[in-house]
């Protein structure tokens, strides 16, 4: 079932009389439950694509639909409500509450959603069951990133947007974080859109969307996902 439709999308930034086309006629469909990897070098437009599809930024031209509803024309207030209800976000920075423990941070995430969830089950999904009473200063960077994943999952988002989620992590820790994302997709059926410059990470997805100079230059379907622990790194 098609969840997201991106049609003829452009994003142009203007500085005085200079125009910079960052997204150039983007067309893409995303199925419910897919793991999509957006792959490209710095400046290719991949983060801008993530930002417009998630409603963090507005498109210049085109159309973005969720379940057939055109969100491109939503007001800022309506878009904020849509994001709060339907979308989750993972960034390189964890943005966790230092004075709360793991369980309490995830509980904050669940309070943003309308669907009641089992906090312990979500913490277990990301492999932090034995750490649930620990505070952020007691956790490694990878463990904190998994707390941020659990917090985002706790509001039961239809789509999880991940912008370089392993960018600040070493190989071993990064692969553990990726395993948590794949486990969440398998268990909770959360659609994942992951932006990365690391070609190894692309192997964990159902499809790879390669970008360069603001365009989709190639789309590759993985016949079988690779287990994160088996991917080449970098």
């Amino acid at each position: 079932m098609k969840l997201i439709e991106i049609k003829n999308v452009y994003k142009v930034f203007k500085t005085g009389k200079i125009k910079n086309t960052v997204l150039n006629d983007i067309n893409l469909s995303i199925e419910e439950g897919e793991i999509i990897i957006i792959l490209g070098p710095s400046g290719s437009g991949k983060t801008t694509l993530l930002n417009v599809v998630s409603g963090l930024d507005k498109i210049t031209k085109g159309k973005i639909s969720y379940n057939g509803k055109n969100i491109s024309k939503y007001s800022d207030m309506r878009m904020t409500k849509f994001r709060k209800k339907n979308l989750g976000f993972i960034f390189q920075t964890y943005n966790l509450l230092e004075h709360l423990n793991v369980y309490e941070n995830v509980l904050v995430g669940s309070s943003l959603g309308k669907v009641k969830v089992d906090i312990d089950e979500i913490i277990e999904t990301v492999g932090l069951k034995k750490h649930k009473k620990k505070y952020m200063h007691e956790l490694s960077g990878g463990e904190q990133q998994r707390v941020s994943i659990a917090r985002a999952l706790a509001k039961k988002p239809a789509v999880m947007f991940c912008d370089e989620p392993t960018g600040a992590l070493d190989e071993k820790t990064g692969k553990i974080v990726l395993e948590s994302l794949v486990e969440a997709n398998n268990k909770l059926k959360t659609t994942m859109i992951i932006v990365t410059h690391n070609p190894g990470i692309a192997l964990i997805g159902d499809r790879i969307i390669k970008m360069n100079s603001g365009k989709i230059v190639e789309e590759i379907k993985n016949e079988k996902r690779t287990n994160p622990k088996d991917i080449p790194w970098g």
Side-chain angles (χ1 to χ4, degrees):
M1 175 180 167
K2 282 189 176 61
L3 179 63
I4 303 170
E5 286 270 10
I6 304 160
K7 291 186 177 180
N8 307 117
V9 162
Y10 289 79
K11 177 64 181 178
V12 180
F13 290 104
K14 293 182 182 179
T15 307
K17 293 182 179 180
I18 300 172
K19 293 182 179 181
N20 182 21
T21 302
V22 184
L23 296 178
N24 190 347
D25 197 19
I26 299 293
N27 290 276
L28 180 65
S29 295
I30 297 171
E31 300 283 333
E32 190 173 353
E34 275 193 300
I35 297 180
I36 296 292
I37 310 294
I38 301 174
L39 180 68
S42 178
S44 61
K46 59 188 188 296
T47 294
T48 303
L49 179 58
L50 181 144
N51 288 343
V52 298
V53 177
S54 63
L56 292 174
D57 200 359
K58 290 185 178 294
I59 60 176
T60 304
K61 189 168 69 171
K63 181 180 177 182
I64 299 174
S65 302
Y66 276 75
N67 286 322
K69 294 181 180 178
N70 183 3
I71 67 164
S72 311
K73 300 189 180 297
Y74 281 9
S75 66
D76 289 344
M77 184 178 291
R78 190 176 180 189
M79 191 67 235
T80 298
K81 288 180 179 178
F82 176 82
R83 282 198 307 270
K84 182 179 177 182
K85 182 180 178 183
N86 297 284
L87 311 181
F89 295 88
I90 303 294
F91 302 103
Q92 279 192 46
T93 51
Y94 315 130
N95 300 319
L96 299 168
L97 299 172
E98 297 290 331
H99 64 288
L100 300 181
N101 63 28
V102 171
Y103 186 93
E104 292 163 340
N105 265 282
V106 180
L107 189 62
V108 168
S110 73
S111 70
L112 298 174
K114 293 186 177 180
V115 181
K116 190 174 180 180
V117 297
D118 185 331
I119 303 297
D120 286 312
E121 182 184 4
I122 288 186
I123 290 172
E124 188 172 357
T125 297
V126 299
L128 291 175
K129 185 178 179 180
K130 65 181 181 181
H131 298 304
K132 74 175 186 177
K133 295 300 182 185
K134 288 185 178 179
Y135 289 85
M136 299 309 101
H137 69 273
E138 299 177 280
L139 302 175
S140 68
E143 287 164 348
Q144 289 185 52
Q145 184 65 299
R146 283 186 279 157
V147 176
S148 71
I149 292 169
R151 182 183 59 183
L153 289 171
K155 71 171 189 175
K156 282 276 188 171
V159 187
M160 181 86 86
F161 291 91
C162 310
D163 191 3
E164 298 281 6
T166 62
L169 304 174
D170 60 62
E171 178 178 349
K172 181 179 177 182
T173 309
K175 287 182 176 181
I176 292 170
V177 167
L178 293 174
E179 284 175 354
S180 294
L181 290 172
V182 172
E183 177 68 10
N185 171 265
N186 289 334
K187 197 170 182 179
L188 306 173
K189 308 305 178 188
T190 308
T191 304
M192 301 273 177
I193 300 175
I194 302 173
V195 163
T196 185
H197 66 276
N198 185 338
I201 291 175
L203 301 176
I204 74 168
D206 296 296
R207 278 189 295 151
I208 306 163
I209 309 302
K210 289 188 175 182
M211 292 192 68
N212 208 342
S213 302
K215 293 183 177 182
I216 293 175
V217 294
E218 189 176 6
E219 186 175 326
I220 302 167
K221 182 175 177 61
N222 285 332
E223 293 303 320
K224 184 180 179 182
R225 295 178 185 173
T226 302
N227 189 309
K229 68 182 181 182
D230 297 325
I231 64 174
W233 196 257

